[in-house]
Amino acid sequence: MNKLLVLVVFNFLFTSSVAIAQTSLVVVFPSTNYQTSTEKIFFIGTAPANGQVLINGKLISRSKTGHFSPSFPLQVGENLFKVTDQNQEREVKVTRLSTQPELPQELGFAKDSLTPAADIARLPGELICFGAIAPPQATVSVKLANQTIPLSPQPPQGQLPANSGVLTGRNQPTPSSPSKYQGCTTVANAADLGQPQFSLTLNGNTATQLGQGKIQILTPAKLPVTEVTVASGVARTGPSTDYSRLTPLPKGTRATVTGREGDWLRLDYGGWINSKETKILPGAVSPQTIIRSVGYRQLAGATEIIFPLQVAVPVSVEQSDDRTFTLTLYNTTAQTDTIRLDDDPLISRLDWQQVAPGQVKYTFNLKKLQQWGYRLKYDNTTLVLTLRHPPHLEHRKRLPLSGIKIVLDPGHGGKESGSSGPPGYLAKDVNLVLSKLLRDELVQRGAKVVMTREDDRDVSLVERQEIISYEEPAIALSIHYNFLADDSKVEKTRGLVSFWYHPQAHSLAIFLHNYVVNKRLEPSYGLFWNNLALTRPSVAPAVLLEFRLMSNADEFEEIVNSQQQRKIAKTLADGVTEWFKMVK
């Protein structure tokens, strides 16, 4: 579909939505029976521009074409809102859920407050801690095998907001329940201790409840060994998806299991992994390896570093902006005397050191600041690190991006519609429009552009990542339109948001963000490091851009302006061109 036809289709879709909105009152968000835990809620909708819209009798401000996005406070429990426009009315019920556990009316513990809440396994002598929420002035304890562990009332602690709080400036802790009881113990010998029994006594009455999780103390001489069975095992700092990601573990990685919590395994080097991504190796002993020589080979567009090992051990990667790339091998002891590294287009020097028992660190000193991506895999027990060389620019004046491959990812698609604007226009559609305009601009400059989707279809996040990994582009850009949390002040929030994850993408994110903002096409909402699926690919610098807010009535006027869309696409393509000139 050519550029003109794309714009015609876009304008048809938008004007159709507006035509519907002009004859009726539409509330796009929140839905009729909506639940949230936030203190405020915003409304997104539209109505004929020549009327007046009231929410619970309060006149609200709207954009020139009748769109609105005001915020209202919420009380805990049910909140009823009546949205009226002349003789039309919409009723919306929003339930604000309490974030504090509620104690039962009868003597007992707060629902789901007993911890540990899942089966756990620990080493002998390790702390095992218990927690519960119970009425003030109660006497609380836990019976575990032949021990009785008293739980003491704890002073109030801060309750942390979700990670998304940093996007709205609402990332300050709030006071937690003052009725939390905690206590810890240790067990010296291996044993299956079963479920702990919690007990609370208040005013002469006692209530007991079994904990949900069983407790096991592992045998140090017989710790299980696990092997990663997926292409890229997700390692984290703790036992749930709430915890931060570490360097993914390549398929075949082996490690000793030193603890367990529910489905999550604690590995000997410190990371946690979901057991569904591994298999236990019966009878295997704790994986340890030595390393001697380290070699390399040059490929077309990349340098491969070869680490021969006896067993595939856990690894981590650290990139920095001072021309270094660091690889750490765990459960590894160096016997290294010789490393071969001839003059390389990418690497100036390779340093190594045994930084701790069982931990060897390799630092690659690079010739240029900008890094262009890497791959990490095991070939049997040999670790292969592939460092990509800079892309080759052909320096054609009329085609300044000749020789450059770029992956464009129009966000959402198919059943994943993304956010919605005031008249019900979907982010997946405007993402595709802007991406196609940007593709045409980049192609005119000589770039080869690969799209993760070119129509309205379902493409999973994993499939999008696989396209980037397979294509090995010079850069990857994911195009989105923004939508903030329930309690954000959308009527006062504006601008471009840019996200990066790997340090190799930092320069690209900052440059493109500032380039668009300085051209006065978009205000700046901010630059953020963020662990997103489309910023995580390591094979190339990857950036995700959020252009304005679908939920802001005034911003939406800019979003659906076809002239503004063309300007953004051209300016962004110019920014990409200038960035390549700068980093070369």
Side-chain angles (χ1 to χ4, degrees), residues 307-323:
F307 300 87
L309 304 170
Q310 296 167 301
V311 63
V313 293
V315 299
S316 66
V317 163
E318 180 183 355
Q319 287 181 298
S320 66
D321 57 3
D322 62 352
R323 302 191 184 195

Side-chain angles (χ1 to χ4, degrees), residues 421-440:
Y425 192 76
L426 301 176
K428 66 175 183 178
D429 298 320
V430 69
N431 292 343
L432 186 59
V433 170
L434 180 57
S435 296
K436 288 186 173 182
L437 292 172
L438 177 57
R439 174 198 61 190
D440 295 345

Side-chain angles (χ1 to χ4, degrees), residues 225 280-284:
V225 173
I280 298 296
L281 303 177

Side-chain angles (χ1 to χ4, degrees), residues 161-338:
N163 272 304
S164 58
V166 72
L167 297 174
T168 60
R170 296 177 177 269
N171 61 332
Q172 298 300 311
T174 56
S176 64
S177 169
S179 303
K180 188 168 187 178
Y181 294 75
Q182 288 183 307
C184 301
T185 189
T186 59
V187 177
N189 300 313
D192 288 328
L193 302 176
Q195 293 169 269
Q197 181 173 341
F198 290 76
S199 173
L200 78 85
T201 300
L202 184 65
N203 300 327
N205 298 314
T206 298
T208 61
Q209 183 176 335
L210 277 178
Q212 292 185 347
K214 297 178 181 179
I215 297 175
Q216 178 187 14
I217 306 301
L218 299 170
T219 304
K222 296 181 180 179
L223 294 177
V225 173
T226 194
E227 178 178 294
V228 177
T229 56
V230 295
S232 184
V234 180
R236 294 185 179 272
T237 58
S240 80
T241 55
D242 291 334
Y243 287 89
S244 301
R245 288 175 178 254
L246 301 171
T247 300
L249 298 178
K251 184 177 182 179
T253 299
R254 294 182 183 179
T256 303
V257 177
T258 63
R260 184 169 190 141
E261 192 156 329
D263 290 334
W264 291 82
L265 307 178
R266 184 180 64 188
L267 305 182
D268 51 16
Y269 83 109
W272 292 74
I273 191 169
N274 195 298
S275 59
K276 296 175 183 178
E277 297 187 347
T278 70
K279 65 178 179 182
I280 298 296
L281 303 177
V285 298
S286 179
Q288 302 287 329
T289 185
I290 59 173
I291 185 167
R292 293 175 179 163
S293 61
V294 175
Y296 88 108
R297 54 181 175 236
Q298 285 192 25
L299 307 176
T303 296
E304 279 190 351
I305 313 297
I306 311 299
F307 300 87
L309 304 170
Q310 296 167 301
V311 63
V313 293
V315 299
S316 66
V317 163
E318 180 183 355
Q319 287 181 298
S320 66
D321 57 3
D322 62 352
R323 302 191 184 195
T324 60
F325 181 100
T326 301
L327 175 76
T328 300
L329 298 173
Y330 298 91
N331 302 330
T332 302
T333 302
Q335 290 184 352
T336 301
D337 285 330
T338 306

Side-chain angles (χ1 to χ4, degrees), residues 112-144:
D112 300 328
S113 71
L114 303 185
T115 59
D119 293 349
I120 67 168
R122 295 290 187 265
L123 295 171
E126 247 188 308
L127 276 179
I128 305 170
C129 293
F130 303 90
I133 293 177
Q137 285 79 51
T139 299
V140 182
S141 63
V142 168
K143 186 176 182 181
L144 180 68

